[in-house]
Amino acid sequence: MVKQLKCEGVTYSYPGGAPVVDGASLTVERGELLCIIGPNGAGKSTLLKSMAGLLSVDEGAIMVDGLAVSSLGPRERARTLALVPQFLDAIPPLSVGNFVMGGRYGHLDSWRRADSADCEAVTGALLAAHVAELGERLLGELSGGQRQRVLIARALAQAAGYLLVDEPTSSLDPEHQLGVFSLLKELAESGRGVCVVTHDLNLASQFADKVALMQSGGFVGIGTPAELLTAEVLEPVYGAHFRFDSWSSADDEERPVVVPWALQ
Amino acid sequence: MSARPLAILLTLLLAGILVASLGVGSTEVVGVADGVRGALAMLGLAEPLEQYQVLVELRVTRLLATVGVGAALALSGALLQGVFRNDLASPAIIGVSSGAGLGASLAILVIGGYGPRFMIENAVGFGPVAVTASALVGAASCAWLVTTLSTANGRISVPMLLLVGIAVNAIAAGLLAAIQSWALRDFDVSQALFSWVFGRLEDRSSFQVGLLWSGLVASALVIPFVALELDLFATGEEDARSLGVNTSRVKLLTILAASAAAAIAVSVAGQISFIGLVVPHVVRRITSASHRAVLPLCLLAGPVFLAGTELVQRSLLGGAHLQPGVTMSLLGGPFFLFLLVRHRRELRAW
């Protein structure tokens, strides 16, 4: 069985509207960090929700480890794919530990009782997301960066093979942006498939194994940061001019530095 | 306060209120010891009282109705506040109260009056059954109409449900007013209608009490299957789905159980508002916000609140006591206003 999360020709439109995702195909391998980039309204977050099984696609297929996502029951789906949302509708009056325990819902027995394995999974998730010291704190007391890590910890508690992360750094300062992407990279290196939607081209360039550029519901290109983050590819899609520089990462791979410079 | 000590405290309080209530009624005052002996005699565990056995039996039935109604309405409110993620939700919102009112009023109009007169004279033996059944049909129909009209593609939209609820309530209130104005000519019918609108816990038949408790038990059975799920709803429905919650099933189960509990309570005891609003809110303030604590605790706190206010006002006012629907409105109305004022900032932010 191939261990990958695969979208093939996925099309989705909201009721009564034009397709937001239109024939998108993408593969996320285990052990890799893939960043989906693209202008506002390109369909990135909608595709991510479709991949998480939260939207039923109009056309195409989404397969996870050889099974159609749509064929999985809600709890089985939560054990396979974990979504880290950009934000929550409301911050519940819960401690971090209890909130992260929510990630174990798919693993609880039919009486919804948590056992020692669930408690161990929560402790492990808090440690892996570097928030173990926050376990007793209330969610509402945390800073933006801490809250983002706690959201990732809850997804880790789901013990899913794939993490789908929606704009995790949009309201964070540079230190926390680096912290969150380092964590995501760590998680990919530990064998999970990590797919991140982001507007930050430089973080994508620095951390991603692959970058997928989306425009008008479909992918313009998928490749390494060096292949995709070029003037020829980016400028027609974003309608802006960029300045480029580049450096080599520890693994000797070329990592472009991209600065938006002027409107076209 | 954590859930377990609160549960023990509420159980002791309820037991105390019930024992004291056996001795207090609108007519004769029976000693607490005699009240308990009379109640035990109903179970064959003691000798019946020589003088007041019938009176005590009526009080036991009244208390069973009071406990059932308090628990059913509080549970209904807690379930609805959880599924709507809104502290201001209550059974009245989904049209249950006005639907039951409409059904009961129609039956009263057709039968031609319904009240203590029929219980005593036994003139219309099927009166209570007919009015309760008609109220239940009215409540279920309104709840069904509201939930169906706010469902699209198999999913219930909560904002739509609130708006449809307002519209259906307005229609039911108009029809109720029409029935009341038709009935003005007939004193008996008018009196029966108003008595029902104010809520009534006395003179309930064993059929009504049995129906009430069956509905309560059936509704309470959903608690283990929705409590944790409603906690996960707190961060949004989509978030709960991503964690593996079958949100459509949870919403359906919760709204069905809440409607059934409120419909049966209102069908049996008339319109008693605000328990479903006040009790869950107070329980949440005292203990945690988790539905695993709030839902079972409401089954105790609802009866404590209703039976407690009944006991206090019967002790103070005796035969001149107010009907429970009136007391609850007098207490609940200002509390609702207090909640709205407290939530002022959030409401403005919407």
Side-chain angles (χ1 to χ4, degrees):
Chain A
M1 186 180 58
V2 195
K3 294 266 187 186
Q4 56 183 206
L5 174 59
K6 195 171 177 142
C7 304
E8 279 179 335
V10 170
T11 298
Y12 179 82
S13 34
Y14 288 101
V20 181
V21 178
D22 198 356
S25 298
L26 179 75
T27 303
V28 184
E29 307 280 351
R30 293 268 187 127
E32 84 175 357
L33 174 63
L34 183 147
C35 285
I36 302 179
I37 57 171
N40 289 331
K44 304 182 295 294
S45 294
T46 304
L47 178 66
L48 203 72
K49 283 180 192 169
S50 307
M51 289 162 77
L54 298 182
L55 303 173
S56 0
V57 298
D58 304 331
E59 284 170 39
I62 300 167
M63 311 290 287
V64 58
D65 296 345
L67 293 168
V69 170
S70 57
S71 72
L72 303 177
R75 278 150 58 88
E76 192 184 0
R77 194 186 63 219
R79 293 194 296 267
T80 315
L81 295 157
L83 177 72
V84 180
Q86 190 180 353
F87 45 76
L88 301 170
D89 281 4
I91 307 296
L94 289 176
S95 70
V96 167
N98 283 334
F99 176 76
V100 172
M101 183 56 94
R104 296 300 295 168
Y105 179 76
H107 297 265
L108 301 180
D109 65 17
S110 43
W111 290 100
R112 316 289 190 258
R113 282 172 307 203
D115 59 20
S116 56
D118 295 309
C119 298
E120 279 167 26
V122 168
T123 312
L126 290 169
L127 281 169
H130 311 300
V131 284
E133 74 284 0
L134 303 177
E136 298 299 316
R137 293 267 301 276
L138 283 176
L139 210 56
E141 296 171 354
L142 305 183
S143 71
Q146 288 170 327
R147 205 175 288 167
Q148 200 58 48
R149 282 173 177 277
V150 168
L151 279 172
I152 294 172
R154 189 183 63 165
L156 290 178
Q158 288 178 241
Y162 299 90
L163 283 185
L164 305 167
V165 190
D166 196 3
E167 296 196 36
T169 54
S170 56
S171 58
L172 302 186
D173 62 31
E175 182 196 349
H176 288 101
Q177 290 177 4
L178 288 169
V180 165
F181 262 87
S182 304
L183 171 61
L184 293 172
K185 182 77 179 168
E186 240 173 71
L187 297 172
E189 283 167 353
S190 70
R192 294 174 182 85
V194 181
C195 179
V196 186
V197 164
T198 182
H199 277 298
D200 196 312
L201 304 180
N202 289 306
L203 287 170
S205 172
Q206 189 178 347
F207 289 97
D209 297 301
K210 270 196 291 186
V211 178
L213 176 61
M214 221 175 165
Q215 184 185 29
S216 309
F219 286 104
V220 176
I222 300 171
T224 62
E227 286 166 351
L228 218 68
L229 301 180
T230 62
E232 295 73 43
V233 178
L234 293 182
E235 291 188 348
V237 172
Y238 282 98
H241 293 296
F242 293 86
R243 292 276 168 102
F244 292 87
D245 196 351
S246 92
W247 59 281
S248 290
S249 60
D251 51 3
D252 242 6
E253 217 171 294
E254 191 201 337
R255 303 276 177 180
V257 177
V258 189
V259 183
W261 201 255
L263 290 170
Q264 283 177 0
Chain B
M1 187 187 274
S2 58
R4 196 158 298 189
L6 184 60
I8 294 169
L9 182 71
L10 285 171
T11 308
L12 293 175
L13 205 55
L14 183 60
I17 289 170
L18 293 182
V19 168
S21 301
L22 279 174
V24 182
S26 50
T27 48
E28 306 286 339
V29 173
V30 182
V32 168
D34 278 350
V36 173
R37 195 182 122 196
L40 290 174
M42 289 174 78
L43 300 169
L45 298 173
E47 284 292 306
L49 300 172
E50 295 78 28
Q51 204 179 347
Y52 292 119
Q53 184 61 33
V54 175
L55 190 71
V56 170
E57 287 183 12
L58 281 174
R59 283 182 191 167
V60 169
T61 314
R62 185 190 82 209
L63 289 173
L64 281 174
T66 308
V67 171
V69 167
L73 290 175
L75 174 66
S76 177
L79 287 169
L80 292 173
Q81 289 174 14
V83 76
F84 294 160
R85 291 185 284 135
N86 190 332
D87 289 359
L88 306 178
S90 73
I93 274 183
I94 50 172
V96 168
S97 302
S98 51
L102 194 58
S105 302
L106 270 175
I108 291 166
L109 192 70
V110 171
I111 296 167
Y114 159 67
R117 190 165 69 90
F118 294 106
M119 293 300 295
I120 295 160
E121 295 172 8
N122 205 17
V124 185
F126 62 89
V129 179
V131 172
T132 303
S134 180
L136 195 57
V137 170
S141 310
C142 271
W144 174 81
L145 188 68
V146 171
T147 42
T148 307
L149 291 179
S150 44
T151 303
N153 304 324
R155 287 210 200 147
I156 295 171
S157 147
V158 169
M160 188 67 184
L161 194 127
L162 296 175
L163 294 173
V164 174
I166 290 171
V168 170
N169 274 323
I171 295 167
L175 291 172
L176 202 59
I179 291 174
Q180 286 169 344
S181 62
W182 273 325
L184 275 179
R185 275 166 276 148
D186 188 323
F187 178 75
D188 276 348
V189 175
S190 271
Q191 201 192 25
L193 280 177
F194 280 106
S195 158
W196 200 86
V197 166
F198 294 153
R200 190 166 183 87
L201 294 162
E202 291 157 314
D203 312 328
R204 303 298 88 175
S205 68
S206 50
F207 162 77
Q208 288 172 309
V209 174
L211 182 75
L212 172 66
W213 277 84
S214 313
L216 174 63
V217 169
S219 304
L221 283 178
V222 308
I223 293 176
F225 305 101
V226 301
L228 175 60
E229 287 76 359
L230 290 177
D231 286 349
L232 297 177
F233 261 59
T235 49
E237 198 180 319
E238 193 171 82
D239 192 50
R241 284 182 65 214
S242 82
L243 294 174
V245 177
N246 185 338
T247 51
S248 303
R249 195 183 68 183
V250 170
K251 279 196 288 187
L252 185 70
L253 262 181
T254 307
I255 291 173
L256 268 180
S259 309
I264 289 175
V266 178
S267 313
V268 167
Q271 291 184 329
I272 302 178
S273 326
F274 291 112
I275 296 179
L277 176 77
V278 175
V279 172
H281 197 86
V282 173
V283 169
R284 262 198 309 272
R285 299 286 301 180
I286 297 176
T287 176
S288 78
S290 167
H291 290 86
R292 279 172 289 176
V294 171
L295 294 176
L297 284 171
C298 278
L299 293 174
L300 289 168
V304 165
F305 184 54
L306 184 58
T309 44
E310 282 284 287
L311 176 66
V312 168
Q313 68 150 334
R314 277 169 194 275
S315 309
L316 294 177
L317 304 172
H321 72 273
L322 298 168
Q323 285 188 293
V326 180
T327 334
M328 287 300 129
S329 296
L330 287 174
L331 292 173
F335 185 80
F336 189 51
L337 198 60
F338 165 73
L339 280 187
L340 284 174
V341 171
R342 269 192 48 154
H343 285 265
R344 219 169 5 180
R345 238 177 249 154
E346 296 160 40
L347 292 170
R348 213 177 281 153
W350 292 345

